[in-house]
Amino acid sequence: MDTWTGSTRVTYRRWSNPEPGDEGDFVGHTDEDQASDNEICTIASAKVDSDSRESANSSRKNTETFTVDEALEAIGFGVFQWKLSLLTGLAWIGDAMEMMILSVLGPQLHCEWRLPSYQVALITSVVFIGMGLSSSAWGNVADKYGRKVGLTVCMCWALYYGLLSAFSPFYGWLLVLRGLVGFGIGGAPQSVTLYSEFLPVKARGICIMLIAAFWAIGTVFEVLLALWVMPTLGWRWLLGLSAIPLAIFVSFCFWLPESPRFDVLSGKREKAIATLTRVARENGKQMPRGTLIEYKQSERGQFKDLFSHQYWKTTLLLWFIWFANAFCYYGIVLLTTELFQAGESCETTQGAKIEPRCSLECKYLTSDDYKDLLWTTLAEFPGLLIILFAVDYLGRKKSMAICFFMFFLCILPLFACIGRIALTIFIFISRAFISGGYQVVFVYTPEVFPTEIRALAMGTSSAVARIGALITPFVAQVMLRSSVYLTLSVYCGCSLLAGIASLILPIETLGRGLQESSLDQEAVEHTTNITTSQPNGTTHSTDQ
């Protein structure tokens, strides 16, 4: 037939390299028959005859489309991502320093203000309480108003109250201000959310692991700063100087772009294109040709979406994994000090009980104490290097499981009578693996959730982790006084269950692009069903 009369509506799926005739299977079907608006392009034509086929093919080429994922893959990793690494890394360093300072501040105030032990412990607890209360709130802000907005506001908050806490006149004010600092740094994980949304697939695992190395750098830097400042200037100067990384971040936050994934989901396609063009220019690459596909969604950051049929199992398992990571990580840090201070004899460290010390006993930290703390902190670097290679070869799930199982195996020898050197070695290895596992979950969580709830997922997961960090002092310090064996059993059981939870996660995200919307997952499932149920035993390619 040389000519078609009447109006014809031709609908085709987006292909990276369309072949002539591929659209034949879709002729006569409407948008609703095939997929949602963000997955297809439609051309309406009237009275198309054989003489105009060439112009129709030309029009089809002009309507070529691409996604944010495809744009980032074409642009690749370059100068822009290195700059973003440094800036978001400053937020991570600031977070680590504000947390590490708690191990130095407690003993100092215990002596200077004559605080009982429970009040010293409360200084640490209020920070975790503030972080637990704010983490999901900052995630909701980042999903509704933007990653840049959420991260900048929370860092400004932490900087302001961090500096104010250096001027605390007495214990009550310090408690309130440090709690407010915790409320601010509860949004620090959003730096990973923002950073991950600018990374191509192949570079994402290694890059997020490297950005997590800034945490280890921050902890080491805080110990060195304390070693320099505390003997001469005191704890107030330490609190003030520890806020320097946050101050640098706030000074340069104007450079931060908004995530193009967030802009596309918010209906700001032109702004997303401008951001991608900027990234391409700084990396010296070309933008893909065509039109950017828009995934507009008005409702974002909905808590109920975490428990939709696609994600409820992943959400619950990840919450427990985050909880176990924080519980075991901060637990081994506290156990290190407790077991070393208890003495070297088997009767003291391995007996049923550890005798409590006087709650008002005062002991300032010495230079040797700071050096021991520094050596313990350095354990995070080898663990990070090992996981850095495992995460892209074994996958995210197996890497997390290995870290938990190795932590479990390194805690087991502590049940036996071992000397101080062996105790130090096993604690060093266990901390290396649990810190490495903590970084893997930061890689996995942004990858498994779509853009519309990614920040909320990070925020709620971080909040659950803070619950683990809040509980662990009562196990590592209080329960330890009653029974060493019971305390170690709790950590062994928790790590073992978390390793199993890592293996049964429904999705492995290695080599998987970031989802823009939950519609992507539904479309994949729908397409898979169509592919497996073609008549006459035939199948058709349904790549998206």
Side-chain angles (χ1 to χ4, degrees):
M1 182 179 295
D2 293 333
T3 60
W4 296 342
T5 59
S7 177
T8 304
R9 187 172 181 84
V10 182
T11 306
Y12 61 93
R13 289 185 181 272
R14 176 178 53 78
W15 299 84
S16 55
N17 292 303
E19 296 292 335
D22 283 345
E23 70 275 16
D25 290 338
F26 299 101
V27 174
H29 296 277
T30 64
D31 294 357
E32 292 76 13
D33 293 331
Q34 295 300 325
S36 58
D37 291 342
N38 60 359
E39 299 171 70
I40 57 177
C41 302
T42 303
I43 299 176
S45 61
K47 296 183 180 180
V48 180
D49 55 27
S50 59
D51 295 332
S52 61
R53 289 179 183 175
E54 183 177 352
S55 61
N57 290 333
S58 176
S59 175
R60 178 178 174 180
K61 292 181 180 179
N62 292 334
T63 58
E64 184 178 358
T65 61
F66 64 91
T67 64
V68 175
D69 234 4
E70 291 168 341
L72 290 175
E73 292 299 319
I75 294 170
F77 187 93
V79 175
F80 174 85
Q81 280 84 0
W82 281 115
K83 293 179 181 178
L84 189 61
S85 300
L86 293 175
L87 192 54
T88 53
L90 282 171
W92 218 228
I93 290 177
D95 183 7
M97 292 181 68
E98 292 294 341
M99 295 304 301
M100 195 64 190
I101 201 174
L102 298 173
S103 62
V104 178
L105 189 62
Q108 185 71 22
L109 293 180
H110 181 52
C111 294
E112 186 171 326
W113 285 356
R114 309 300 297 175
L115 298 176
S117 57
Y118 78 91
Q119 289 187 339
V120 174
L122 197 56
I123 297 175
T124 302
S125 297
V126 294
V127 176
F128 287 122
I129 292 173
M131 296 172 73
L133 293 175
S134 68
S135 293
S136 58
W138 289 122
N140 193 268
V141 169
D143 273 333
K144 287 189 175 182
Y145 304 104
R147 281 68 163 119
K148 178 181 178 179
V149 173
L151 182 59
T152 301
V153 173
C154 75
M155 290 295 104
C156 289
W157 181 296
L159 172 63
Y160 178 72
Y161 287 107
L163 291 174
L164 276 185
S165 62
F167 300 95
S168 302
F170 49 86
Y171 174 77
W173 270 106
L174 180 67
L175 209 61
V176 172
L177 292 173
R178 295 310 296 176
L180 291 172
V181 170
F183 191 91
I185 61 178
Q190 300 311 324
S191 61
V192 178
T193 304
L194 176 64
Y195 183 59
S196 67
E197 294 183 350
F198 280 96
L199 296 174
V201 173
K202 291 184 179 179
R204 191 184 307 126
I206 293 179
C207 289
I208 295 180
M209 292 292 290
L210 288 177
I211 204 73
F214 283 100
W215 172 276
I217 294 173
T219 57
V220 171
F221 185 70
E222 182 64 31
V223 175
L224 294 175
L225 184 64
L227 182 61
W228 172 57
V229 171
M230 290 297 287
T232 55
L233 300 177
W235 63 271
R236 295 184 186 274
W237 277 93
L238 182 64
L239 284 177
L241 293 175
S242 297
I244 289 178
L246 296 178
I248 297 175
F249 174 86
V250 171
S251 300
F252 289 94
C253 65
F254 66 89
W255 178 87
L256 274 178
E258 185 53 83
S259 166
R261 298 178 186 274
F262 174 81
D263 283 334
V264 167
L265 205 63
S266 304
K268 303 175 183 177
R269 187 172 62 180
E270 296 302 323
K271 188 176 178 181
I273 293 175
T275 301
L276 291 171
T277 303
R278 169 188 169 185
V279 177
R281 183 174 62 252
E282 293 195 29
N283 286 0
K285 298 294 182 65
Q286 293 292 327
M287 281 279 290
R289 295 182 179 180
T291 303
L292 178 63
I293 293 181
E294 185 173 355
Y295 293 78
K296 186 174 181 180
Q297 185 165 343
S298 57
E299 293 186 359
R300 300 178 305 279
Q302 300 293 311
F303 185 81
K304 63 181 181 179
D305 293 336
L306 292 174
F307 294 93
S308 63
H309 70 278
Q310 304 111 304
Y311 299 114
W312 70 269
K313 185 177 180 181
T314 301
T315 297
L316 292 178
L317 288 172
L318 268 181
W319 279 4
F320 177 70
I321 291 170
W322 276 78
F323 173 90
N325 265 311
F327 182 77
C328 295
Y329 174 81
Y330 291 107
I332 197 63
V333 172
L334 295 174
L335 280 175
T336 302
T337 305
E338 291 294 324
L339 293 178
F340 281 166
Q341 288 183 350
E344 297 184 5
S345 65
C346 295
E347 292 79 12
T348 304
T349 58
Q350 304 302 330
K353 295 183 179 180
I354 291 180
E355 292 298 326
R357 298 182 299 271
C358 175
S359 62
L360 292 179
E361 178 185 354
C362 177
K363 182 181 178 183
Y364 286 97
L365 292 176
T366 65
S367 59
D368 289 336
D369 293 326
Y370 286 119
K371 290 176 183 177
D372 290 340
L373 189 60
L374 178 61
W375 282 112
T376 306
T377 305
L378 289 173
E380 300 193 13
F381 286 100
L384 184 62
L385 290 176
I386 295 172
I387 297 302
L388 186 64
F389 295 101
V391 73
D392 276 338
Y393 288 96
L394 299 178
R396 282 53 160 153
K397 293 166 54 176
K398 291 181 180 178
S399 296
M400 284 189 287
I402 288 173
C403 288
F404 281 118
F405 291 146
M406 287 301 299
F407 179 84
F408 168 77
L409 292 176
C410 290
I411 292 295
L412 284 179
L414 303 186
F415 283 92
C417 180
I418 57 176
R420 185 181 179 92
I421 295 178
L423 181 67
T424 304
I425 292 174
F426 282 114
I427 289 178
F428 185 94
I429 297 174
S430 62
R431 179 164 178 178
F433 275 100
I434 197 62
S435 62
Y438 213 159
Q439 308 312 327
V440 179
V441 77
F442 273 99
V443 177
Y444 181 85
T445 306
E447 291 180 335
V448 77
F449 290 101
T451 302
E452 63 198 38
I453 55 172
R454 184 172 297 125
L456 179 62
M458 285 291 291
T460 53
S461 298
S462 180
V464 174
R466 305 312 174 186
I467 297 175
L470 181 62
I471 293 175
T472 200
F474 296 96
V475 178
Q477 293 176 320
V478 179
M479 184 183 292
L480 192 71
R481 305 296 176 191
S482 300
S483 173
V484 175
Y485 296 133
L486 179 60
T487 301
L488 295 178
S489 298
V490 170
Y491 287 107
C492 284
C494 184
S495 59
L496 186 61
L497 290 175
I500 297 173
S502 301
L503 292 176
I504 62 176
L505 282 167
I507 303 171
E508 172 57 67
T509 60
L510 177 61
R512 184 174 184 253
L514 294 184
Q515 296 181 67
E516 305 301 336
S517 170
S518 58
L519 295 175
D520 293 354
Q521 182 68 22
E522 293 175 357
V524 170
E525 294 174 357
H526 176 67
T527 303
T528 302
N529 293 334
I530 293 177
T531 303
T532 57
S533 61
Q534 290 292 333
N536 301 324
T538 61
T539 60
H540 296 273
S541 174
T542 53
D543 295 338
Q544 295 189 22

